Amino acid sequence: DIQMTQSPYFVSASVGDRVTITCRASQGISSWLAWYQQKEGKAPKLLIYAASSLQSGVPSRFSGSGSGTDFTLTISSLQPEDFATYYCQQASSFPYTFGQGTKLEMK
Amino acid sequence: QVQLQESGPGLVKPSQTLSLTCSVSGASISSGYYYCDWFRQSAGKGLEWIGRVYTSPGPNYNPSLKSRVTISLDTSKNQFSLNLNSVTAEDTAVYYCATSRGNYFDSWGQGILVTVSS
């Protein structure tokens, strides 16, 4: 299985801050990566697919980059509704696997 | 817009079979355009992909669960289902169904908590 490792586990930030979360794959996955946002008690929501493509309806303050083994999710200016947990998912091969999550908390 | 809803018992006894159904609206799963997947999420294991079913070819399962899991389609009801047998407390989780047009999941059910306990 491909292991996905996110960092950091927790981020404490304020509204308006720029935040970057990283995800590393245990082997190369080209651009087969997605980012999801999950709020408490809710299902994950797709934000970014194919490493850098913005899902329809997702605000442009979210962006993704990277290829191969190293990827980043950036939120350019945090909004109150962005405080949540974020997961990366590799879509290169079965079984699909997720990172352990990064919890974004309000400072 | 595709909408999904999981249903099934919230409590299953150890060694028994966990059975869940995902009802799909807003899309036809028999069209061949949609993959139908199951996931679960527990505090101990995070988000875990269980497997997928498609009109053709056959299903794909996570090797860690393959010996115990069956995912199937009921196109007449526009539903797909999950059966996980010989459950233990480690199978306690929130179970989600999801659909996709490829490898990224843009439509999810709300999730259903299944507890394995006697």
Side-chain angles (χ1 to χ4, degrees):
Chain A
D1 298 4
I2 299 174
Q3 305 304 316
M4 306 300 293
T5 305
Q6 287 180 233
S7 62
Y9 289 145
F10 296 97
V11 176
S12 183
S14 301
V15 172
D17 284 354
R18 180 183 181 90
V19 171
T20 298
I21 299 168
T22 66
C23 178
R24 174 164 289 177
S26 61
Q27 64 190 72
I29 58 171
S30 186
S31 296
W32 291 102
L33 185 103
W35 289 97
Y36 297 85
Q37 177 194 68
Q38 188 177 33
K39 296 184 177 179
E40 196 68 34
K42 301 293 186 182
K45 173 186 175 183
L46 178 64
L47 300 175
I48 302 285
Y49 64 95
S52 61
S53 296
L54 192 67
Q55 173 68 2
S56 175
V58 174
S60 59
R61 63 181 180 272
F62 291 92
S63 64
S65 65
S67 67
T69 60
D70 294 310
F71 302 87
T72 60
L73 171 70
T74 299
I75 309 172
S76 60
S77 178
L78 267 177
Q79 298 302 300
E81 60 268 29
D82 299 338
F83 292 97
T85 301
Y86 293 83
Y87 295 92
C88 60
Q89 174 231 331
Q90 68 81 13
S92 173
S93 62
F94 294 130
Y96 297 142
T97 48
F98 291 82
Q100 78 281 12
T102 295
K103 188 170 185 178
L104 181 50
E105 298 178 321
M106 191 177 299
K107 186 180 288 183
Chain B
Q1 181 169 341
V2 182
Q3 293 186 312
L4 300 94
Q5 176 72 58
E6 303 91 349
S7 59
L11 180 64
V12 181
K13 289 182 167 47
S15 80
Q16 293 191 343
T17 297
L18 180 159
S19 295
L20 297 174
T21 297
C22 182
S23 299
V24 181
S25 59
S28 170
I29 60 174
S30 63
S31 66
Y33 290 121
Y34 295 93
Y35 296 98
C36 301
D37 294 60
W38 285 97
F39 298 83
R40 66 182 184 180
Q41 186 172 31
S42 62
K45 287 192 173 183
L47 271 166
E48 183 178 26
W49 176 77
I50 298 172
R52 86 174 2 174
V53 67
Y54 187 54
T55 50
S56 177
N60 292 97
Y61 300 132
N62 193 319
S64 67
L65 297 167
K66 188 174 183 177
S67 64
R68 299 194 291 131
V69 69
T70 303
I71 299 175
S72 58
L73 285 174
D74 185 342
T75 55
S76 66
K77 296 181 179 178
N78 216 36
Q79 295 175 338
F80 59 104
S81 63
L82 167 69
N83 284 310
L84 181 66
N85 59 39
S86 304
V87 297
T88 70
E90 292 210 340
D91 296 309
T92 293
V94 176
Y95 286 76
Y96 293 101
C97 59
T99 59
S100 71
R101 300 286 294 269
N103 300 347
Y104 305 108
F105 303 95
D106 57 354
S107 297
W108 295 70
Q110 65 185 26
I112 182 169
L113 173 62
V114 179
T115 302
V116 179
S117 175
S118 55

